[in-house]
Amino acid sequence: MTDDANHSGSHTARWYENWTEAPDSPWQNRPEPDYDYHYPTLTYERDGRIARITFNRPENGNSITPDTPRDLTHAVERADLDPRVHVILVSGRGKGFCGGYDLDMFAEKRFETGDSVDKVTGTVLDPVVNAVNHDPSGTWDPMIDYAMMSRCNKGFSSLLHANKPTVAKLHGFAIAGGTDIALFSDQIICADDTKIGYPPTRTWGIPAAGMWAHRLGDARAKRLLFTGDSISGKQAAEWGLAVESCPATELDDRTEALVERIARMPVNQLMMAKLALNSALLSQGVANSGMISTVFDGISRHTREGYAFQLRAATVGFREAVRERDEPYGDHKRAQFER
């Protein structure tokens, strides 16, 4: 055995050192990337070995805008490239995780954003282009719709395809498009009273990410999507959708305990474990499910019933249209959080 003072066998648990901490680290004497970054819809912070991505539109229920998938993709890649990060935690500020798409814009205002010009102007993501394509009096091109919505899926699925583990912390509500994001995470931990579901299957929506059957199995996924019903965080844990549920007052502490436990693992071990397990998940046809579901999501917004919902929202407001949609099911009281 060597007498070298730097020999790994002469140090206690050297395998717990980060990539950048080892004596022979390729990152020796290299500057660190930015700890923090602010995006239009979320913030990014690195806290030791944990990257924290936090949706930051609390006044709008952290609802999804055209910026959200791009912001999330960039933030996840930032964490994935940082050798100091072991685990990525996604959460939301305010009353809930994410209330889905900002349908005050997409349904009530028919995608109108004014005359502003930015990097999506003139592309398939242009809100004005999509407003024209969603006009009930005009012709709908399903591939313009698919080109737009599939980009959202690509952004959200960065959580699944990241090399490092991703954990979603849910509280308050994770509804509609918010579940597209949460279900792409490797692990979900939630408060007992979190509301999780996809009510738009009642009209004007199919979960474009296509992840429900992969996460819950066929029967339970159908139980939710055939009714548009939601489940609590406690039931999500009982069904296996979440790995843990707890009282809301304990959620922060329990989440920190989970991500700190994951962060203790070597980065390369985490990456190999995720890649190995993802190989089984992806072989189930995740990409195909997302493609088909995205096409059907577009169709569902352009049926007679879908147009009726859109026109009703434009006439009386989105919240009233949702109330009318959900009242027969007896669960419309929290409709203000559903988008």
Side-chain angles (χ1 to χ4, degrees):
M1 181 176 289
T2 180
D3 292 327
D4 184 356
N6 285 324
H7 187 265
S8 293
S10 64
H11 293 262
T12 301
R14 174 149 274 177
W15 51 88
Y16 284 128
E17 293 175 336
N18 174 261
W19 267 345
T20 65
E21 298 167 347
D24 58 350
S25 169
W27 286 276
Q28 278 188 345
N29 303 317
R30 298 303 302 152
E32 296 186 11
D34 292 339
Y35 283 90
D36 304 331
Y37 200 87
H38 286 260
Y39 297 85
T41 65
L42 54 87
T43 61
Y44 175 91
E45 304 165 273
R46 178 166 63 80
D47 177 12
R49 296 182 172 191
I50 303 166
R52 302 178 187 275
I53 297 173
T54 310
F55 295 120
N56 195 34
R57 301 182 70 240
E59 69 283 359
N60 299 105
N62 294 318
S63 55
I64 297 165
T65 75
D67 285 317
T68 306
R70 296 194 298 272
D71 294 348
L72 184 60
T73 299
H74 194 275
V76 169
E77 180 71 352
R78 177 180 290 270
D80 232 10
L81 292 176
D82 189 337
R84 297 157 190 84
V85 171
H86 290 228
V87 60
I88 302 166
L89 176 63
V90 184
S91 61
R93 288 191 173 88
K95 295 181 179 179
F97 175 74
C98 176
Y101 286 86
D102 190 342
L103 294 188
D104 283 336
M105 176 195 299
F106 292 116
E108 189 172 327
K109 298 178 182 178
R110 303 188 192 182
F111 294 83
E112 294 173 10
T113 59
D115 297 324
S116 60
V117 176
D118 58 21
K119 56 191 172 185
V120 302
T121 301
T123 73
V124 294
L125 300 177
D126 190 324
V128 176
V129 172
N130 284 284
V132 173
N133 197 43
H134 283 74
D135 185 347
S137 66
T139 299
W140 171 59
D141 188 324
M143 289 299 99
I144 293 176
D145 192 290
Y146 179 81
M148 180 265 294
M149 284 301 299
S150 64
R151 263 60 186 189
C152 294
N153 267 354
K154 287 179 181 178
F156 303 154
S157 69
S158 63
L159 294 168
L160 174 65
H161 296 294
N163 293 326
K164 298 171 184 177
T166 57
V167 177
K169 178 174 73 171
L170 310 187
H171 77 288
F173 46 87
I175 292 294
T179 64
D180 286 342
I181 299 172
L183 269 61
F184 272 128
S185 300
D186 298 314
Q187 304 269 270
I188 292 174
I189 182 170
C190 55
D192 289 340
D193 60 355
T194 307
K195 183 179 182 182
I196 305 169
Y198 206 96
T201 58
R202 293 170 180 172
T203 189
W204 219 66
I206 295 295
M211 290 298 294
W212 282 97
H214 297 286
R215 294 304 193 195
L216 272 182
D218 177 72
R220 283 178 167 165
K222 287 176 178 173
R223 168 62 184 84
L224 294 180
L225 299 188
F226 285 174
T227 61
D229 289 346
S230 297
I231 56 176
S232 68
K234 185 175 182 180
Q235 189 172 3
E238 292 170 353
W239 282 16
L241 180 64
V243 295
E244 188 175 347
S245 177
C246 61
T249 54
E250 300 176 12
L251 181 60
D252 287 345
D253 289 342
R254 297 277 281 270
T255 301
E256 291 305 304
L258 173 61
V259 295
E260 287 173 8
R261 197 171 181 84
I262 295 172
R264 192 173 294 122
M265 296 270 288
V267 178
N268 48 22
Q269 288 291 126
L270 291 169
M271 291 172 63
M272 287 186 282
K274 177 166 180 175
L275 290 169
L277 294 169
N278 268 9
S279 68
L281 179 63
L282 294 172
S283 70
Q284 296 175 9
V286 167
N288 196 46
S289 297
M291 179 185 67
I292 292 171
S293 297
T294 301
V295 172
F296 283 155
D297 180 55
I299 293 172
S300 75
R301 286 179 276 107
H302 296 86
T303 61
R304 179 182 62 83
E305 295 84 357
Y307 279 142
F309 179 82
Q310 179 181 341
L311 290 170
R312 184 64 174 163
T315 302
V316 301
F318 170 70
R319 287 170 176 77
E320 174 61 18
V322 167
R323 186 195 66 77
E324 294 174 4
R325 181 197 71 191
D326 292 344
E327 193 168 44
Y329 293 88
D331 56 8
H332 66 279
K333 292 183 179 180
R334 292 184 66 186
Q336 65 267 32
F337 300 132
E338 298 175 10
R339 299 177 187 273

